[in-house]
Structures are given as C-alpha cells and as structure tokens.
Amino acid sequence: MSDALSREKIVNGAALLPEETVRDLLGALDGWVLTEDGKAIECQLTTKTFLKAQALAALAGGIGELANHHPDLSYGWGYCRIRFSTHSAGGVTMNDLICASRLNSVL
C-alpha cells in the first residue's frame, strides 16, 4: 500500500480527509502519526549526529519541493521532526500522505 501511495499524484485543492481515514492510511506508513490536534501527520527520526539530522531535513525538503507540497521541519543534534499538513485545507489531505510515503520510500 505505501509503495502504491508514493506513486500517486499530488493535486491542487486536495480535499480534507476524515480523521478515521487518515488513521487507517497511517497504518501503512511506518513511523508516522497523526498530531494531537489532528491537523497534521509527523514523524521524528533519531540520528547520531547533527549533520545526519540536517541531511534528513534536506531530503524531506527536497521531496516537498519536487511535489510543491512543503513540510514543516525542525532538527537539531540527534533528531529531525517532519510534519506534513495542507494549510489551505486546514488539515491532512492525500497530498500529505503521498509525501510521507515518498519520504519513507527513500529512507
């Protein structure tokens, strides 16, 4: 499922997904969770160096740039937190899940 999801197309004006649908689809995305407020999906990766965390942030940013669907990123020594949300929809759309799946595919 996750591999097929990564091949889906990013679309402008994607519709907000019901929380239940997001939770079901997250089951196929290792490491990703729905945020407490239900408006984004995120994962936190641990690293052994700052440079590796920076590289993960750059990778996630590059995937977002190619899709024109950019994540919110925070990183520091030992961690990189990646969050996808569709601000125009006010929460999680298929675009967010597709980008998360694409990132998982290259990790």
Side-chain angles (χ1 to χ4, degrees):
M1 161 67 172
S2 179
D3 192 41
L5 187 58
S6 69
R7 292 190 301 268
E8 292 291 322
K9 194 172 200 169
I10 299 291
V11 296
N12 288 331
L16 185 65
L17 293 173
E19 186 174 319
E20 184 177 316
T21 302
V22 174
R23 289 188 186 282
D24 287 345
L25 292 170
L26 281 176
L29 292 173
D30 190 38
W32 290 87
V33 296
L34 187 63
T35 58
E36 201 170 297
D37 65 5
K39 294 187 182 267
I41 58 171
E42 72 178 9
C43 75
Q44 181 161 318
L45 304 166
T46 56
T47 66
K48 294 188 179 197
T49 68
F50 178 80
L51 287 176
K52 286 182 182 177
Q54 189 176 38
L56 286 170
L59 178 63
I63 286 170
E65 182 64 21
L66 289 172
N68 195 29
H69 193 73
H70 306 94
D72 293 324
L73 302 165
S74 60
Y75 65 94
W77 190 94
Y79 77 95
C80 178
R81 187 174 306 114
I82 304 152
R83 181 179 283 202
F84 281 105
S85 178
T86 303
H87 302 289
S88 61
V92 180
T93 68
M94 282 302 291
N95 290 345
D96 303 303
L97 296 159
I98 292 166
C99 286
S101 180
R102 289 177 181 178
L103 182 59
N104 277 12
S105 293
V106 297
L107 291 177

